[in-house]
Each structure stands twice: as structure tokens, then as C-alpha cells.
Amino acid sequence: MINIDVIDREFKEYVKSYDMENKDIFLKYEHTFEVVKVMELLCKKMNLNEEQTSLAKTIAYFHDLGRFEQLRSTNTYRDDLMDHAEYGADLLIKEDYINKFSIDEKYYQVIEKAVRHHNKLDVVGDISKDEELYVKLIRDADKIDIYRVIVKFFECNFIVEPTEINLIDFFNHKAIDKKNIKNKSDSLLCQLAFVYDLNYQESIDALKEYKYYQKFVDSINVSEQLKETFNKVKEEVYKYLNIEEC
């Protein structure tokens, strides 16, 4: 079994070398614990057993390990400069940092795959059915809390015309490729479209219970000329999620 108390202690030990006065680093520290909470809720909703829940929560602790070094090294969240998921997976497995957490080696492979794939547009490669559960769970838990983070820390503006290809993908219920992002409205569409990549009904249910998505949508500043476009976007995604507008 996995000892979550050890995971928690060693995670806190790892981040001690980073500057918690840096708001972006603190944001990711806080985000990690919130994702652990979301993961625990998803595991409960899906009736996973104690071993499965402990493994899923461990992955939640590990998923953004690479963010801290990314922020220190590049001072950005840009994965094209330094892919935080790849760095985190390599740190754990190739550099054997995972040894500090007293985890049975039988879990190493699924942990590596879940961490490495959590930020990718699509999940590709050799992933077993058992591994797929954890890969999908961390992708969902991460996305759910991202909406809380955006509302708390960022200003959201939909004031320039979004790129046509991104609107097309959005209305086709497709996740938006970051390579197609040209402006801040594209970035918002990308974030709004995260829900199309949620893998489980339990994840959608949790998102709605937290009301993070609704708060995110309500926080967006929309220019007068784009209100009609934005209202169509909102109507489409609320219909997809089965959210009734107040």
C-alpha cells in the first residue's frame, strides 16, 4: 500500500527549495492540494477501493512537480519552453526521486504515465486499461481545479475576435490545440473547452457541484461587439454540461 502521510510530507519537503513568496509558485503549491481533494471526491464518486484511491491521490500530488522548476527556470507556464509534465515524470523515474516516497515499484509505471500525459492534448502511446483509469482521472481532476485557479488569480477578457478554427472546434465539442491560439480570446475558448475532454460523468458532476465553471464563465469580461458570439459559446457549453442558466 501507499502511505499518503509520507507522500504529503515528502512533497512539502520537495517544495521547500522554491520561493513561496512567488505568487505563481504558491499558486501551484495550493493547486496541488486542491487537486488532491478533487481526486479524493472523484474516487469516492466512482467507488474506487482504498488502494486505487491512494494511488490516484499520489498521482495528484505528483502531477505538477515539474511546474516548480519550470517557473524557477523560465518564469512562465509555457510548456513549449519546458514541458513540466515531462520534467516531472523524468525527475520521479529517471532521476529516481520517487524513491524518497517509499512507494512500491509496482506503481512506478502507472505514476510515470499519468504524470507524463496529464497536460497533453491527446493521450497516445502504450497505455493499459488499468493505467488508463489513472491517466484520465488526473487529467480530469487537474482541469476541474484549473477553473478555481483562473477565477482566483487571473483576469479573463473576451475582447478580440477569436480565431475561426478554434470556434469551429469549440462548437464541435473538441479540445482546442494550443498551437492554434493566437490571442487571449482563443486562450479563453481553450479553457472553456477543457470540459469537452472530461472523461467521466462523475467528473462533470463534481465540476458542477463545485460551481467552478459557472464562476469562471461569469468572471469573463466580454466586449460589446463580441457579446453575441460569447452568448452562443456559453449557451453551447451549458447545454453540453446540462447547466441551467440562472
Side-chain angles (χ1 to χ4, degrees):
M1 291 294 291
I2 293 171
N3 188 329
I4 289 295
D5 289 337
V6 173
I7 306 299
D8 182 87
R9 184 187 71 224
E10 292 299 329
F11 171 78
K12 290 173 180 174
E13 189 66 28
Y14 173 76
V15 299
K16 279 183 180 179
S17 63
Y18 296 93
D19 180 14
M20 284 297 157
E21 296 298 317
N22 181 313
K23 68 177 181 63
D24 291 316
I25 288 177
F26 179 77
L27 179 160
K28 284 302 170 182
Y29 178 76
E30 180 183 72
H31 168 65
T32 296
F33 290 102
E34 292 299 322
V35 172
V36 171
K37 291 177 187 176
V38 173
M39 184 66 86
E40 188 167 25
L41 176 62
L42 294 183
C43 291
K44 184 177 181 180
K45 284 180 172 292
M46 296 177 70
N47 296 314
L48 301 188
N49 63 35
E50 184 179 354
E51 180 182 16
Q52 291 172 312
T53 299
S54 293
L55 177 54
K57 288 173 66 177
T58 297
I59 291 167
Y61 272 102
F62 289 166
H63 84 284
D64 264 357
L65 276 183
R67 278 291 190 200
F68 300 99
E69 189 58 36
Q70 180 195 52
L71 285 164
R72 181 157 67 184
S73 298
T74 72
N75 198 34
T76 75
Y77 295 108
R78 287 180 55 182
D79 284 327
D80 60 327
L81 297 179
M82 177 180 175
D83 190 316
H84 77 281
E86 297 294 334
Y87 179 89
D90 288 346
L91 172 69
L92 285 166
I93 305 303
K94 293 184 179 180
E95 298 182 33
D96 201 31
Y97 196 80
I98 199 171
N99 189 51
K100 291 182 177 291
F101 296 88
S102 302
I103 296 172
D104 192 306
E105 288 188 16
K106 70 179 181 179
Y107 299 119
Y108 283 15
Q109 183 168 290
V110 64
I111 288 172
E112 177 186 8
K113 290 183 179 181
V115 172
R116 200 175 294 282
H117 284 88
H118 86 270
N119 69 331
K120 304 301 186 288
L121 180 64
D122 299 302
V123 177
V124 295
D126 183 20
I127 297 174
S128 71
K129 197 68 177 176
D130 288 341
E131 291 167 345
E132 183 180 58
L133 169 67
Y134 299 98
V135 171
K136 288 183 174 180
L137 274 173
I138 189 55
R139 288 169 65 89
D140 284 10
D142 188 29
K143 288 182 178 72
I144 290 169
D145 189 63
I146 284 296
Y147 293 116
R148 178 196 62 82
V149 171
I150 295 170
V151 171
K152 183 174 181 179
F153 292 99
F154 299 97
E155 181 178 337
C156 302
N157 295 307
F158 195 81
I159 57 177
V160 296
E161 193 74 37
T163 308
E164 184 177 4
I165 189 173
N166 294 324
L167 278 172
I168 291 170
D169 282 346
F170 185 88
F171 284 102
N172 284 327
H173 299 172
K174 293 175 61 178
I176 290 172
D177 193 334
K178 290 181 180 179
K179 294 176 182 177
N180 293 328
I181 293 176
K182 307 299 181 185
N183 57 50
K184 289 185 178 180
S185 294
D186 287 340
S187 294
L188 274 177
L189 273 184
C190 179
Q191 292 161 350
L192 285 162
F194 284 164
V195 295
Y196 297 144
D197 194 42
L198 292 177
N199 295 283
Y200 301 108
Q201 182 59 47
E202 290 85 353
S203 300
I204 293 176
D205 293 342
L207 177 67
K208 290 160 67 175
E209 287 172 25
Y210 281 120
K211 297 189 184 300
Y212 291 159
Y213 195 83
Q214 298 95 310
K215 290 176 182 177
F216 168 54
V217 171
D218 290 344
S219 75
I220 298 172
N221 301 311
V222 183
S223 66
E224 191 64 36
Q225 65 267 31
L226 289 178
K227 280 188 176 179
E228 183 178 353
T229 298
F230 184 78
N231 286 338
K232 289 179 180 178
V233 165
K234 180 180 177 180
E235 181 181 355
E236 183 68 26
V237 74
Y238 271 27
K239 182 179 178 181
Y240 178 85
L241 293 171
N242 194 25
I243 294 175
E244 292 186 9
E245 292 193 55
C246 298

